[in-house]
Amino acid sequence: METAVAPTTEQLTLEEKLAQLMFVRMGSNLPPIVTASDDEQRVAELLERCPIGGLLLFNGVWPHVRDSLTRLQAKSRVPLLVSADLERGAGQQVGGLTVFPHARAFAQLGDQAESSLRDAISITAREALQAGVQILFAPVADANTNPQNPIIATRAYGEDPAEVARLVAVVVEAAGQAGALAAAKHFPGHGDTSQDSHDGQPCVDRPADELHACELPPFRSAIQSGVPLIMSAHVSYPALDPTGEPATFSKPILTDLLRGELGFTGAVCSDSLLMAGARDRYQSEGQMAAAALLAGVDMLLDLADPAAAVAEMAELVRSEQIPEARVNEAVGRVLKLKAKIANQAPHADPIPAEQVQEHKRTAAAIAKAAIRVVSPAGGAPPRLAPDKPTTVVLMKPFNLPSDPAQQPLAAAIQQRIPSAQYFEFGPDVDADLRDQAVAAAQNGGQLLVAIIAKPAAWHAFGMTDPQRQLADDLAQLDGAVIASLGVPTILQDFPAAVPKLCTYSDVPDSQTGLADLLCPTA
């Protein structure tokens, strides 16, 4: 498979250079749900009008997405950089490929953390490249120092900046060795926020010395490891920029701090510019894109109308409100990434199905190994006997259109205990179903209460009040076991004597791993 050669900056017109800074989503896992391949025609038509720099892939399906991306690359005069949020493996955005547990799970593996993470990233990069994706929007380099953080939480490797820095370096190195491009995010640190930047404007109001000590070490580690991209945060840091501008639009943060003080020479990409933390500040996408570019952003992610933004920015360049030298600098960094990818060995041969299955077995083993008994402190996990009446109650903080009819925990438990009764509650607890669940749990036997406590864009974090009341009532019953499929902090207020476990993730393998621990088969 031949790869087109990226042109030089001098070979592009002003509009073409500006278009190279635009990265547009392909596919969607939010309503209305669209697979990446179903979105191919729209992207192809856009390429005829606006030679964008790359794509943000959502909701791909293997192997169809590979074919779609191959056709789009052939239509584009300048090679496309294709990126995706792959914090949890290529299967996070390409159905059929491997899904790994959240980052926090790897931090539980002790001496095996680095080797397991290196294996996971190598697999992720290989599968992504086979699918046509070159940029992994990973690692999350945020130290999750705020337990109430609604958007980082289990996506971070932990709370300790030094520990996060160590694992971030592993990700950057493993991705590079596999031929993919890592992107450390969200600079200068999203771990101490209590608000989701997707639907608001978070602020981290800490002194500069604390920010340097708590937020920056993982990014320093990423830079020292040769990370080619860093993603900005739509978060304000008054101690770093007294104007209150979010990092994405802050020259003191992206140019003076990131490039000047930390010495980063790679490309800076914005977080999604559809997020409220960015779009609500400007009257047009062109104005927003121009502000980000002037602050130090090289790659403008997730614009709704890139052609209009290019036209508006071109007028700003011609009127000298945007220096063309800044445009040339940014497009030069984008073209350098494209040249780097083009010079690597092509990944033309599909991964054999048996190899993908081996990858998935690796992911399952990691997910199970990460599960911990957190109360009473440590010790062996409790056991659910296959011959006793068993009730399972699962709570999830929000409903997604992509959710299965039942979470994987249901089948995993019922496979081992066929008579187990399973009840699942979304954020609104149905009164009749609640009464049925409580009655089943009160009927003696054994009870598992599982709580999904994970971050997700534009969604609530943690239990709703009705869920919390139900969980509190169930925790008082004899034989209760409580499990968090996410952060351990949600377990803190339950009675100390109740056995508690944490999987640090809600991916299917984490749920199945929990069932394996609680009711192991012979």
Side-chain angles (χ1 to χ4, degrees):
M1 181 173 63
E2 292 187 4
T3 303
V5 178
T8 64
T9 303
E10 293 74 19
Q11 293 171 316
L12 299 175
T13 67
L14 173 60
E15 281 79 5
E16 288 172 336
K17 286 188 286 190
L18 290 167
Q20 283 297 295
L21 310 183
M22 309 287 168
F23 285 67
V24 178
R25 66 172 51 209
M26 177 182 176
S28 177
N29 44 26
L30 296 172
I33 293 177
V34 180
T35 69
S37 293
D38 286 342
D39 213 10
E40 178 185 344
Q41 185 58 37
R42 180 189 66 85
V43 174
E45 293 171 356
L46 173 62
L47 284 171
E48 294 179 359
R49 298 183 289 110
C50 183
I52 57 174
L55 301 170
L56 315 172
L57 184 80
F58 294 90
N59 199 22
V61 179
W62 174 262
H64 310 295
V65 66
R66 172 185 169 84
D67 299 333
S68 293
L69 291 172
T70 299
R71 287 189 290 268
L72 290 172
Q73 289 284 13
K75 288 180 180 292
S76 182
R77 182 170 74 86
V78 183
L80 296 165
L81 280 175
V82 183
S83 59
D85 279 314
L86 301 183
E87 299 169 22
R88 298 186 294 283
Q92 182 179 345
Q93 296 297 344
V94 181
L97 297 181
T98 307
V99 177
F100 286 93
H102 286 69
R104 183 66 181 272
F106 287 89
Q108 311 310 311
L109 301 178
D111 293 342
Q112 300 302 310
E114 288 193 24
S115 60
S116 296
L117 184 57
R118 194 174 298 278
D119 289 344
I121 298 303
S122 297
I123 289 171
T124 298
R126 183 183 176 196
E127 291 187 354
L129 289 165
Q130 292 283 332
V133 178
Q134 305 122 338
I135 298 175
L136 322 178
F137 283 138
V140 171
D142 307 310
N144 193 66
T145 54
N146 186 341
Q148 304 305 314
N149 196 317
I151 194 57
I152 302 302
T154 51
R155 297 169 63 199
Y157 290 105
E159 298 87 7
D160 178 11
E163 176 69 5
V164 174
R166 179 174 69 90
L167 297 180
V168 160
V170 171
V171 176
V172 172
E173 292 164 2
Q177 290 166 0
L181 302 173
K185 58 188 186 184
H186 309 79
F187 187 82
H190 207 323
D192 191 33
T193 60
S194 57
Q195 188 175 7
D196 178 4
S197 54
H198 290 81
D199 61 10
Q201 176 58 74
C203 175
V204 177
D205 194 9
R206 300 177 69 179
D209 58 344
E210 291 185 12
L211 293 172
H212 278 71
C214 296
E215 308 291 346
L216 296 187
F219 291 97
R220 290 184 186 272
S221 177
I223 293 168
Q224 292 167 359
S225 300
V227 72
L229 295 105
I230 287 181
M231 178 184 287
S232 65
H234 301 328
V235 179
S236 64
Y237 307 82
L240 301 179
D241 184 347
T243 69
E245 285 287 341
T248 300
F249 307 103
S250 170
K251 189 173 181 179
I253 293 175
L254 294 187
T255 300
D256 301 342
L257 174 59
L258 179 56
R259 295 206 182 277
E261 182 177 334
L262 301 186
F264 179 60
T265 59
V268 174
C269 63
S270 71
D271 206 339
S272 168
L273 293 172
L274 292 179
M275 293 162 59
R279 70 170 189 269
D280 289 353
R281 304 176 62 81
Y282 299 92
Q283 293 183 341
S284 71
E285 282 196 320
Q287 291 179 10
M288 176 176 61
L293 178 65
L294 290 171
V297 172
D298 304 305
M299 297 163 56
L300 302 160
L301 271 52
D302 217 3
L303 291 169
D305 191 346
V310 165
E312 187 172 356
M313 292 176 73
E315 289 303 313
L316 293 173
V317 173
R318 292 189 175 100
S319 64
E320 300 184 349
Q321 296 179 65
I322 298 176
E324 189 162 4
R326 173 69 192 109
V327 177
N328 292 338
E329 180 183 55
V331 77
R333 293 188 179 117
V334 172
L335 296 179
K336 184 177 180 180
L337 292 177
K338 294 187 177 191
K340 181 176 182 179
I341 287 294
N343 290 334
Q344 291 169 347
H347 298 262
D349 297 327
I351 303 173
E354 59 271 19
Q355 186 65 62
V356 174
Q357 292 308 310
E358 180 60 31
H359 292 172
K360 292 181 178 181
R361 284 190 286 272
T362 298
I366 289 172
K368 182 176 178 180
I371 301 172
R372 294 288 179 268
V373 176
V374 295
S375 178
R383 295 285 188 253
L384 299 181
D387 56 349
K388 289 185 178 180
T390 303
T391 303
V392 179
V393 177
L394 182 142
M395 302 177 196
K396 54 183 185 178
F398 43 80
N399 296 313
L400 297 175
S402 56
D403 283 347
Q406 289 185 332
Q407 289 291 311
L409 183 64
I413 292 288
Q414 289 170 341
Q415 182 181 6
R416 295 158 178 79
I417 308 176
S419 62
Q421 298 186 69
Y422 178 82
F423 301 88
E424 186 171 305
F425 295 91
D428 299 318
V429 175
D430 178 82
D432 290 339
L433 188 63
R434 181 193 193 284
D435 290 345
Q436 293 175 40
V438 172
Q442 289 175 332
N443 196 29
Q446 19 191 47
L447 167 66
L448 170 62
V449 179
I451 304 159
I452 294 179
K454 67 172 183 179
W458 289 289
H459 289 288
F461 179 75
M463 285 187 287
T464 62
D465 289 342
Q467 288 177 333
R468 182 81 222 192
Q469 184 59 59
L470 174 57
D472 286 343
D473 291 345
L474 293 173
Q476 306 300 321
L477 300 177
D478 291 338
V481 175
I482 311 290
S484 171
L485 307 179
V487 296
T489 49
I490 206 161
L491 300 171
Q492 291 175 348
D493 294 334
F494 290 108
V498 177
K500 306 179 188 72
L501 300 94
C502 188
T503 65
Y504 302 93
S505 182
D506 71 317
V507 299
D509 281 337
S510 294
Q511 298 192 31
T512 301
L514 176 64
D516 281 342
L517 284 180
L518 293 175
C519 36
T521 55

